[in-house]
Structures are given as C-alpha cells and as structure tokens.
Amino acid sequence: MTKEELTARLHDIEWDDFEVKAAKSDLPKNIWETVSAFANTSGGWIVLGVKQSGKTFEIQGVDNIEKLEQDFLGTIRSGKFNCTLSATSVRHEIDGRKLLAFYISEVEMKPVYFGNPVNTFIRMGSGDQRATEGEIRAMFRNQSFGKKTEETIADTSIEMLNHDSLKSYRFALGQTQNLIELRDTDNDEFCEKVNITHKGLLTYAGLLMFGKAPYVLRYVPTFCIDYIEIPGPTIQQAEVRYTYRIPEQENIWEAIQIILRRFRTLVDAPIYIKDDGFATTDDSQYNVLREALANMVMHCDHFDSLRSCIRVYTDHIEFMNGGAFPLPVENIIGKIYSKLRNPTIAKLFRYVGLAENAGYGMTKLSSWESLTGTRPTIESDRTIATVSFPLKSAMQRKTDDAKNDAKNDAKNDAKNLTVRQSRILNLIKDNPTISLDQIAKETGVSAPTIDREMAKLTHYIIRVGPKKGGHWEILRDF
C-alpha cells in the first residue's frame, strides 16, 4: 500500500480489507482478532498510528516503529495461531508522523484462530466479528473441499448400490455420445472407470449417487435433498405449509428424477414449427432450472446437517444449499470458473447431460434474465448459498385460474346474496373507508345485525388496517 493509497483510504470508510488502530508504543490487544478475521476472509491491511472516531480519522503516528514491527512479526511466527500466516510490513510517514502497515493474506486451510477455535474471527463489512459455531464447523469441513466424496469407504462393495438406480443411469448415459467405450462393460468395470468404486470399495460419491438407503444413511446420515411446493409467495402467506413434498429418496439419482419431472410443470415450454414442418419444444427455461439443481447437488456439502432444499413458491423458485460458493459470487458469474466440492458427482451429471461443462454453470443460470425478463438472485455467505428465480410457473397459473374461478363462482353466487348483503357490499364499494356504524345507519338496522352480516361476507371483503384509519377491500365480484 503506497502513501497515496493509504491517504485515499482514510477518506473512504466503505472498505472491508482495511483496519486502522491507534497504537503508540504497544500493539493493541484486539489486533489478533483482526489478523484472524483477515486470514479467514479475503486478506487485508492493518494500519497502526491512526485513530478512528466514527467517520473521522486522526493520524497520530507511532513512537517506536521498530519495536512494534518486531513484536507483530515475531508473534505471527511464534505459534500463537494454529497455522503459519503470511504478513508483509510497510512503513509510511505522513505530516511528519510515522505509520506502520501490515498486510495479512487469506489462508487456504481455515479456520485461523489463536488459543482455541472459539477465537476464530471473520470480517463483516468494516469490522471484525467472532465466528459462530456453525461458521467454524463450515470452515473445518471446507478443508476437505473437493476431496471428501472422492474417498473410499472401508468394508463396502458394489452390492450396496441400488442396481435399478445404476441401470437407469446407464440407460440415460446410452442416450448420449459420452463414454461409448463403456456401454458394453459390466457394472463392476463401469463403476471402477467412473469412480463409483475404487479397487472394489465404494466412494462416497458413488454411494450418494446410487446407494441403497440403509447404507447411504449409515455412512452419510445427513443425506437429504428436499423439494417443497408452497402455495404462497412466502411461507408466512401460504394457507397451508405445502401442497407437495418429495418423499425421502434412496439416493441422489432417484431424487433428481422426481424433481426434474416436477420442474416440467413449473415453466413455459413453447412449441415452435421448424422450417421442415416438424415441431420442436423450447426447453430453455427448464434447462436453467435443471442446471441450478445440478449445481446445488454438485456443490452441496452432503456431510452438513443443514439440508439442501428447493422451495417452489407461487412467484419464485429458491435453491438453498448448505455450503458456500468457493469464491464471492461476483467473481464467478460471467466467467469460466470451476472449483467443485464433489468432482465425481459433477462428472456423473455431465456424462448424462444434466449439467454444463465445467466452468459454464453460473453463466447458464444468468441466462434466466434473457429468457424471462426477470433477474435471478444469487447469494452466498459462509454456511448457505441461495439461488432464486422469479417464476411464472404452472403453480402460479393454477393460482390465477383459481382466482378467476372464484370470481366466476361469485357471479354465480350473487343471486344468493340477500338484498341487505348486496346493499352492504355496494356501500363498501362506493366508500371503502365506511365504518360499521355508518353501514348500520345507511341500512337502517342495528350494529349487531351488521356484525352478523359481515361474518357472512368474508369471501367478498376484507378489512385492511385498524378500525380507525383502515379500509375495506373487495375480494370478489358480486
């Protein structure tokens, strides 16, 4: 960091890789929290000799720059932290005052802590926060990123696979031009060639993809791919918790077959007549959801107790995954990038055409905007990744149809309204802010009578807001 860059930073507090501390002759006690936070996040600068008060920075300088530098670098190398850290020191002088800056690099093997794992910190905005227990566990699991599902499982064999699942997969593979040389091999050879087994032992990837349920749950008790259809824009607004939930499936392959069939009902698939007179279906929207499903399973931390889940609401579909993206989202979208948590599972998906080639998946997801005119949102923190697509789905169309049916029913039921009820509804239609007392006065009946009538009209009207200051809304034609 140059002096000019440092000066510029002091006038801009919108950073998350820069921390100032007012140190004169001794290192601040909380400096090690910042070291941990930068090492666990994306690296950053610690600048000694600057006091911050709100948005104001005062350059105070340090008294003994050599001692502070030696104390800091010596502590970094002393074994205070659980791993070896890299730190670069830079000295500056501004207005005759000496400043000392250290750059802490991000490390690959997280978490970085001092003393014990409780002293694990992460960078949030422009401050340090103690990592939660869940975040610390996620860091430990991420040490095996791309490795855990590639390991073999002792005392296992191909007999622990669901052979119907494997047969179904091989049939799907036969519809492609991939791995043609393996089409006539027996299951033992095939499984060895694609890393479902290794030297006769099942890999975790092979077990998760095609295993029998008792063995999957024995070795990966956290396994679950959940899919729920919720009849509302949010869980809170849904009249019932869900209208469909996928039954527990034996393995990944069986689960995705059901989910893909549900996807077919959620998106538009226009039919076009080609120049040769034959019709073709545009599956572009379906293919994006298929890619999102594949990405979720390929990047899922199947050993996390946090369940991966697809939630289908009336206006959007949400893919929620335990396990964060390997890089910030903005560094992945629009770029050819591939770093897989579960490499063998990813290859098995690609062999049968259920996923894009490595590095192109996020670009595929981004194409949703050009297909539908609505932009997907992709978010990721240290424990959860979420991808959400605005959706004009079959479920929403059914909801719209139900509303139309309700309107038609209301027209048919209008003849069943009494004269007084019709009078009440017309009064409300003409004056949505009318009070119950005013309605009673206009209709010439008592307030209790109006209360009883209103209870019979709940399918037609709803009260929004308090008695004073609120208003009525008409729900149905009458």
Side-chain angles (χ1 to χ4, degrees):
M1 178 182 290
T2 66
K3 183 169 69 175
E4 290 74 18
E5 290 172 333
L6 173 58
T7 303
R9 289 289 185 99
L10 295 178
H11 292 87
D12 180 9
I13 67 167
E14 299 300 325
W15 28 247
D16 57 8
D17 62 346
F18 182 75
E19 178 77 11
V20 298
K21 297 185 183 294
K24 295 292 286 182
S25 57
D26 294 307
L27 295 173
K29 292 183 179 179
N30 64 355
I31 194 171
W32 310 120
E33 297 176 4
T34 304
V35 171
S36 170
F38 281 148
N40 284 321
T41 313
S42 300
W45 288 92
I46 301 174
V47 181
L48 304 183
V50 179
K51 181 180 180 181
Q52 179 181 356
S53 298
K55 296 183 179 181
T56 303
F57 296 89
E58 178 186 351
I59 298 176
Q60 297 179 329
V62 296
D63 292 339
N64 192 337
I65 196 168
E66 288 81 8
K67 177 180 180 299
L68 289 175
E69 185 175 37
Q70 291 175 7
D71 288 349
F72 183 88
L73 296 177
T75 302
I76 289 292
R77 298 186 179 98
S78 69
K80 181 180 182 68
F81 289 88
N82 63 307
C83 63
T84 302
L85 300 178
S86 174
T88 303
S89 61
V90 178
R91 301 182 186 187
H92 291 297
E93 186 171 323
I94 299 178
D95 298 332
R97 294 181 174 88
K98 296 179 179 180
L99 302 179
L100 180 60
F102 299 98
Y103 184 78
I104 307 299
S105 300
E106 178 185 6
V107 303
E108 182 176 353
M109 300 297 284
K110 304 177 180 68
V112 174
Y113 56 86
F114 53 93
N116 61 69
V118 174
N119 295 320
T120 299
F121 290 80
I122 57 176
R123 194 73 175 170
M124 298 291 287
S126 57
D128 306 324
Q129 291 189 11
R130 190 180 297 273
T132 65
E133 183 179 348
E135 288 169 332
I136 295 171
R137 286 201 307 268
M139 291 184 199
F140 276 117
R141 286 195 306 272
N142 285 342
Q143 290 183 11
S144 61
F145 198 101
K147 302 174 184 175
K148 182 63 177 178
T149 52
E150 306 307 291
E151 296 176 0
T152 56
I153 311 170
D155 301 322
T156 58
S157 71
I158 194 174
E159 295 306 315
M160 295 180 178
L161 298 182
N162 180 324
H163 285 265
D164 288 336
S165 299
L166 185 59
K167 180 180 179 181
S168 170
Y169 177 84
R170 296 194 67 176
F171 176 81
L173 180 62
Q175 308 307 303
T176 74
Q177 295 301 309
N178 298 323
L179 303 183
I180 296 176
E181 68 278 10
L182 298 182
R183 288 186 180 179
D184 296 328
T185 60
D186 60 25
N187 282 342
D188 291 277
E189 183 178 355
F190 177 82
C191 288
E192 284 287 325
K193 292 292 186 180
V194 297
N195 204 40
I196 294 172
T197 60
H198 179 66
K199 296 182 178 179
L201 298 176
L202 289 177
T203 63
Y204 279 103
L207 178 70
L208 286 165
M209 278 292 291
F210 306 112
K212 295 177 182 177
Y215 300 112
V216 173
L217 294 178
R218 176 190 299 179
Y219 295 105
V220 191
T222 52
F223 168 72
C224 177
I225 299 176
D226 207 359
Y227 173 96
I228 307 173
E229 293 176 0
I230 300 167
T234 65
I235 294 175
Q236 292 76 17
Q237 292 175 276
E239 294 183 2
V240 295
R241 291 180 63 188
Y242 56 84
T243 54
Y244 174 81
R245 187 169 196 170
I246 186 174
E248 296 285 349
Q249 296 301 305
E250 286 207 77
N251 51 53
I252 291 174
W253 183 251
E254 297 299 326
I256 65 170
Q257 300 309 303
I258 295 176
I259 294 172
L260 289 175
R261 288 195 291 271
R262 304 298 295 191
F263 282 174
R264 286 287 184 187
T265 69
L266 300 179
V267 292
D268 293 325
I271 296 176
Y272 296 100
I273 304 299
K274 299 187 295 183
D275 294 338
D276 58 10
F278 289 93
T280 182
T281 301
D282 183 355
D283 286 329
S284 299
Q285 294 183 33
Y286 166 79
N287 290 338
V288 173
L289 296 186
R290 186 186 66 186
E291 184 70 29
L293 171 63
N295 269 268
M296 186 184 82
V297 177
M298 291 188 297
H299 291 288
C300 174
D301 184 351
H302 293 284
F303 302 90
D304 187 3
S305 58
L306 182 63
R307 289 186 164 199
S308 296
C309 184
I310 301 168
R311 295 188 180 99
V312 181
Y313 298 92
T314 51
D315 61 355
H316 70 285
I317 180 170
E318 181 179 277
F319 296 78
M320 190 277 290
N321 212 7
F325 289 120
L327 287 178
V329 174
E330 60 272 16
N331 294 344
I332 300 176
I333 295 179
K335 300 176 182 178
I336 300 175
Y337 177 83
S338 180
K339 183 177 181 182
L340 297 168
R341 186 183 296 274
N342 306 302
T344 292
I345 292 175
K347 289 179 181 178
L348 290 169
F349 270 72
R350 289 174 183 143
Y351 289 150
V352 292
L354 291 181
E356 290 285 326
N357 290 329
Y360 289 90
M362 297 301 289
T363 301
K364 184 77 170 183
L365 303 189
S366 299
S367 70
W368 186 261
E369 184 172 6
S370 62
L371 293 171
T372 67
T374 58
R375 179 176 297 179
T377 58
I378 304 174
E379 300 175 344
S380 176
D381 61 21
R382 289 169 180 80
T383 57
I384 299 175
T386 304
V387 182
S388 180
F389 299 92
L391 189 65
K392 181 66 174 178
S393 64
M395 180 178 287
Q396 187 171 351
R397 288 192 293 271
K398 290 177 182 177
T399 301
D400 292 341
D401 291 342
K403 290 180 179 178
N404 291 330
D405 290 342
K407 289 181 179 180
N408 293 330
D409 290 343
K411 290 179 180 179
N412 295 330
D413 291 343
K415 60 185 179 181
N416 297 322
L417 291 171
T418 65
V419 173
R420 181 187 295 150
Q421 289 168 351
S422 296
R423 172 68 171 150
I424 292 171
L425 290 174
N426 280 305
L427 287 170
I428 290 173
K429 183 177 181 180
D430 294 338
N431 180 12
T433 61
I434 192 171
S435 68
L436 293 177
D437 289 339
Q438 289 174 308
I439 293 174
K441 184 177 179 180
E442 291 288 340
T443 55
V445 297
S446 66
T449 298
I450 293 300
D451 287 339
R452 287 193 296 272
E453 294 286 21
M454 299 302 279
K456 300 174 183 178
L457 297 174
T458 54
H459 293 298
Y460 292 88
I461 54 174
I462 188 173
R463 183 70 181 180
V464 179
K467 290 184 178 180
K468 292 184 178 180
H471 66 278
W472 301 97
E473 284 190 4
I474 303 293
L475 298 177
R476 303 167 62 172
D477 293 334
F478 56 90

